Amino acid sequence: MTLAQGASRLIHCLFVCFTLIAAPMTALAADKVELSVDVSKAGAKIDRNIFGQFAEHLGHGIYDGIWVGPDSTIPNTRGIRNDVVAALRALKVPNVRWPGGCFADDYHWRNGIGQRAATLNPNWGGVIEPNAFGTHEFMDFIDQIGSNAYVSVNVGSGTPREAAEWLEYMTAAQPTTLAKERAANGHPAPYKVPYLGIGNESWDCGGNMSAEYYLSRLKIYSHFVRNFNPAQQQGSQQMLKIAVGPGGNEPRFTEWTETIMKAYQQHTWSWDFNGLSMHNYTVNWQHKLPSEGFGENEYAQSLKSTLEMDGLIAKHSAIMDKYDPEKKVALVVDEWGGWYAPLPGSNPAFLLQQNSLRDGILAALNVNIFARHADRVRGANIAQMINVLQAMILTDKEKMTVTPTYYVFKMYVPFQDATFVPVTFDAGTYTHGDISLPRVDAIAAKDTAGKLWLEITNVDPDQPVEIEASIAGVTAKSATGETLTAPKVDSVNTFDTPSAVAPKPISAKAQGGKVVLKLEPKSVTVVSIEQ
Ligand code: AHR
């Protein structure tokens, strides 16, 4: 840049830049972090499917959480809770993965249509599975919340024929015997199944298979399990098949991804898949951390562990790049989230935990990682939707509350299908004991209407941060949005105090200079930049 160009840029900046002062929030002096957003360098689309959910037949995830039955005194529509549906509609849930999880490889779909069979749920406490919530109820739920079905078929204890017949039952439009049975059960029109999971954790609860053995099963299932819905035969409407992928950082998972992706490179017309699943929980298996009543140690440990998601994605993406440089196969992180000790007094097999401000922050950090890998990560499903692990919603009989994680997902709705815009910044460091983490995280994106959105997470539990953002290529007038924080890292919503952790509005006026937002400690903030 010449001196004259530099001077002209400076003058230009004095005219078009501005300052946005957020509402005063705290008396503490804030450290400053400079962010540079460059809209001219827009990147990949942030696939809305990274905001997918997971609903397994586990504990009170389905029964009581979604399904109360048509005769319940809890307000419902055809047996599905109205309060839960209303809350979920606001999240614009792109897809729901069902019926598991480990449960999927024990699930026999015929038990859940017509006359229901009572079976057992050996994975999750050995309780009775009434099968009252089956295919039709799931599809009704999907319809009520305005989402899409991601159905996982049984590879572990089922057969290709069983899975093929389930798909024919759901999707055939022609009057086959199975399609007529579906009609007799109340749904003449074929259902849409946009996403098909071929097994779940087949290296573990899904059958303890070797990669080679699973691969041969995958080839059979991917050929014979067909979607017959006439509306799903062409282009982007075609059903996407998701193969079982890695489940953590162990060497066996590197080998697994190698085996499956190497085979993909040589796949023929007769078998195929479109996504590779990855599971990665934030968990200490030896000593599960509490989900409530914890302090800064556990906060820092959880966030340190959750940031390992980035390295894991990078590692498996690199293997995928080797065999699929055009990135045709999506990496689908279809189980992720914080996994903590079960709540005292609850059935440990039900994986019931509280959800604190920490988990809202943890969710934001993970979503930002997915967004930064948007070219490869085109799907993710947080585990799990209701009453299980890092849930959106907690219920107890007629009571319901949404969680801090729910609010983060709601705040991120504008990022669904938005175009990633790079942000550069020096994050600084938050240190607690021997743990050091980036103090600030941020992403930016342009939504489909062209509006610019900025997300900033202040990880530091004690110090506010002053964000000074320069946005090249945008003449901003104001910034408006929401910020989520609470008095403590372990603040939670309860049935008696459902709004203890809830977002507050944040807005700022253009004042000239740069965009300046003062963010509270331990907070997640999403603002749109009005031009
Ligand atoms: O989400 C709980 C369980 O975790 C799932 O059933 C399984 O796939 C994973 O191990």
Side-chain angles (χ1 to χ4, degrees):
M1 193 194 303
T2 65
L3 198 60
Q5 281 170 330
S8 135
R9 281 241 180 128
L10 184 65
I11 291 162
H12 178 72
C13 190
L14 289 173
F15 273 94
V16 300
C17 297
F18 56 88
T19 301
L20 299 174
I21 308 286
M25 285 172 288
T26 168
L28 277 171
D31 278 356
K32 198 178 281 180
V33 170
E34 290 181 16
L35 290 183
S36 296
V37 183
D38 188 350
V39 266
S40 70
K41 297 209 176 79
K45 182 175 93 173
I46 302 170
D47 197 311
R48 63 188 296 254
N49 282 312
I50 69 164
F51 298 95
Q53 300 280 337
F54 173 33
E56 178 168 14
H57 288 240
L58 192 177
H60 294 297
I62 300 285
Y63 300 107
D64 300 342
I66 297 174
W67 180 257
V68 286
D71 300 330
S72 171
T73 52
I74 297 171
N76 69 84
T77 302
R78 295 179 293 279
I80 293 165
R81 291 180 79 123
N82 293 345
D83 52 357
V84 164
V85 167
L88 291 172
R89 283 190 74 84
L91 296 189
K92 300 194 189 306
V93 178
N95 72 76
V96 182
R97 180 170 181 255
W98 174 85
C102 296
F103 180 83
D105 283 300
D106 260 323
Y107 186 61
H108 300 286
W109 67 275
R110 280 206 157 275
N111 293 331
I113 58 158
Q115 187 67 38
R116 308 306 164 98
T119 56
L120 293 172
N121 191 336
N123 280 294
W124 304 116
V127 295
I128 292 268
E129 165 55 57
N131 282 296
F133 190 88
T135 303
H136 291 265
E137 292 74 23
F138 171 65
M139 292 297 188
D140 190 11
F141 170 61
I142 286 296
D143 206 42
Q144 288 191 35
I145 66 168
S147 191
N148 293 294
Y150 175 0
V151 174
S152 283
V153 292
N154 182 341
V155 173
S157 67
T159 61
R161 177 177 177 177
E162 182 188 16
E165 288 179 352
W166 191 14
L167 263 284
E168 183 189 325
Y169 177 86
M170 289 190 280
T171 64
Q174 288 165 290
T176 68
T177 301
L178 283 167
K180 285 200 268 186
E181 190 179 0
R182 182 191 67 232
N185 285 333
H187 208 273
Y191 289 116
K192 277 193 174 170
V193 181
Y195 310 103
L196 183 81
I198 301 181
N200 170 75
E201 299 193 353
S202 304
W203 30 261
D204 189 22
C205 70
N208 274 297
M209 301 174 194
S210 66
E212 287 75 17
Y213 183 74
Y214 172 73
L215 179 61
S216 63
R217 309 289 295 160
L218 171 66
K219 289 178 179 175
I220 295 168
Y221 275 74
S222 84
H223 179 76
F224 291 107
V225 184
R226 299 177 172 103
N227 184 318
F228 295 105
N229 190 322
Q232 291 196 266
Q233 301 308 308
Q234 301 294 326
S236 64
Q237 292 302 307
Q238 282 177 300
M239 180 173 78
L240 301 181
K241 298 170 200 166
I242 293 137
V244 169
N249 224 344
E250 298 162 43
R252 67 179 173 134
F253 293 123
T254 312
E255 205 183 304
W256 186 283
T257 303
E258 276 279 348
T259 306
I260 308 297
M261 289 307 298
K262 193 170 180 185
Y264 171 84
Q265 191 182 35
Q266 286 140 22
H267 79 90
T268 61
W269 68 271
S270 62
W271 77 279
D272 197 5
F273 62 91
N274 317 89
L276 185 73
S277 142
M278 182 173 114
H279 291 180
N280 184 42
Y281 285 97
T282 301
V283 61
N284 179 342
W285 294 115
Q286 283 70 44
H287 172 68
K288 295 209 189 79
L289 297 176
S291 61
E292 59 180 1
F294 58 87
E296 197 172 340
N297 281 344
E298 292 83 355
Y299 172 76
Q301 280 171 37
S302 298
L303 297 190
K304 178 175 187 271
S305 154
T306 219
L307 290 172
E308 288 168 15
M309 178 69 88
D310 188 53
L312 206 59
I313 290 175
K315 178 162 126 184
H316 290 280
S317 295
I319 302 172
M320 294 174 83
D321 286 349
K322 207 161 56 168
Y323 300 110
D324 171 32
E326 291 173 50
K327 299 187 196 288
K328 287 187 179 157
V329 179
L331 186 59
V332 180
V333 190
D334 55 12
E335 287 189 29
W336 68 274
W339 187 321
Y340 308 115
L343 282 182
S346 70
N347 182 337
F350 284 8
L351 311 186
L352 175 63
Q353 60 190 43
Q354 245 299 359
N355 191 300
S356 65
L357 177 65
R358 166 190 61 185
D359 299 306
I361 291 172
L362 183 152
L365 295 175
N366 278 279
V367 168
N368 290 0
I369 291 170
F370 302 150
R372 281 192 278 267
H373 290 278
D375 56 347
R376 182 64 85 176
V377 178
R378 301 196 289 272
N381 299 73
I382 189 167
Q384 297 194 6
M385 197 177 228
I386 304 160
N387 293 333
V388 177
L389 300 177
Q390 190 174 343
M392 302 289 124
I393 292 173
L394 299 174
T395 68
D396 180 15
K397 301 185 184 73
E398 75 291 349
K399 293 183 230 164
M400 186 203 94
T401 183
V402 299
T403 64
T405 302
Y406 171 93
Y407 283 124
V408 167
F409 268 62
K410 193 160 175 236
M411 289 161 71
Y412 270 82
V413 165
F415 287 88
Q416 293 194 11
D417 280 346
T419 304
F420 184 82
V421 173
V423 185
T424 48
F425 54 97
D426 177 352
T429 308
Y430 152 64
T431 301
H432 179 75
D434 57 1
I435 296 179
S436 287
L437 304 173
R439 192 159 162 242
V440 164
D441 192 27
I443 60 162
K446 236 180 174 182
D447 70 16
T448 41
K451 189 181 273 191
L452 181 66
W453 293 86
L454 195 57
E455 187 287 331
I456 310 133
T457 304
N458 181 8
V459 168
D460 196 312
D462 302 313
Q463 299 298 319
V465 67
E466 192 172 279
I467 298 295
E468 207 175 84
S470 24
I471 305 171
V474 167
T475 308
K477 293 198 179 103
S478 61
T480 333
E482 287 186 318
T483 188
L484 182 79
T485 188
K488 299 191 298 167
V489 287
D490 64 337
S491 293
V492 296
N493 289 336
T494 66
F495 300 118
D496 296 330
T497 57
S499 304
V501 190
K504 301 178 289 192
I506 178 169
S507 63
K509 277 191 201 158
Q511 282 191 351
K514 291 179 178 173
V515 177
V516 178
L517 283 165
K518 199 168 167 195
L519 305 179
E520 290 188 70
K522 47 181 164 11
S523 62
V524 175
T525 302
V526 173
V527 289
S528 69
I529 306 293
E530 307 293 338
Q531 301 172 43

